[in-house]
Amino acid sequence: MDCLFCGIVDGTVPSHVVLDEPYVLGFLDTRPLFKGHVLLVPRIHVDTLPDLPAELVPVLMGAVQRMASGVVRALGSQGSFVAVNNVVSQSVPHLHVHVVPRTKGDGLRGFFWPRTKYASDDEAQEYAARLAAALDPPVAP
């Protein structure tokens, strides 16, 4: 398998490492939205968030939480944008979480897709029920 991010994890592809932990690696995006844009990846290869073993979700999200705070402290940003793409718009098929420093007036404008509305509260409730019924049961901590 030729996975760019697996190459970064194993050190065969150069990167600017920001976070190096047993289960998570963080490095600068080579095409950042803004300077300081970090990608956090699990060291194991999984394509998407649903593929990540449940026991690694809090590990990865804990690293994301720390990085979201870190960009504020290190770069003086006012906040951060955190995002995960699953398949669609995922340029590298290895789970990665974007942590992008944000400052009011930085030029990034909200979400990049059209918004819609539910026709009624009944339609919204129908969607909510369908989604709730499709969820896997929670895993005990």
Side-chain angles (χ1 to χ4, degrees):
M1 165 180 15
D2 290 329
C3 172
L4 174 63
F5 291 169
C6 285
I8 291 172
V9 166
D10 70 20
T12 59
V13 174
S15 67
H16 297 282
V17 173
V18 175
L19 179 133
D20 188 352
E21 295 181 348
Y23 300 101
V24 178
L25 186 72
F27 50 90
L28 293 180
D29 192 312
T30 59
R31 293 178 26 232
L33 289 173
F34 300 111
K35 292 176 183 175
H37 178 167
V38 175
L39 301 178
L40 294 155
V41 302
R43 288 184 170 277
I44 63 166
H45 181 88
V46 295
D47 288 348
T48 64
L49 184 59
D51 301 322
L52 187 66
E55 63 272 11
L56 291 182
V57 171
V59 175
L60 178 61
M61 288 298 112
V64 169
Q65 184 181 41
R66 293 191 325 276
M67 188 60 60
S69 295
V71 299
V72 171
R73 285 192 305 275
L75 305 176
S77 61
Q78 294 172 318
S80 63
F81 174 71
V82 175
V84 176
N85 291 306
N86 287 301
V87 182
V88 177
S89 296
Q90 189 179 15
S91 58
V92 177
H94 183 127
L95 172 61
H96 54 285
V97 181
H98 298 260
V99 179
V100 180
R102 294 294 315 274
T103 301
K104 186 175 172 89
D106 61 17
L108 192 60
R109 300 249 184 252
F111 295 101
F112 305 111
W113 53 81
R115 299 294 183 115
T116 189
K117 291 184 177 183
Y118 294 101
S120 66
D121 283 340
D122 288 342
E123 183 186 33
Q125 183 55 42
E126 177 190 335
Y127 272 81
R130 286 171 52 196
L131 289 166
L135 292 177
D136 291 330
V139 177

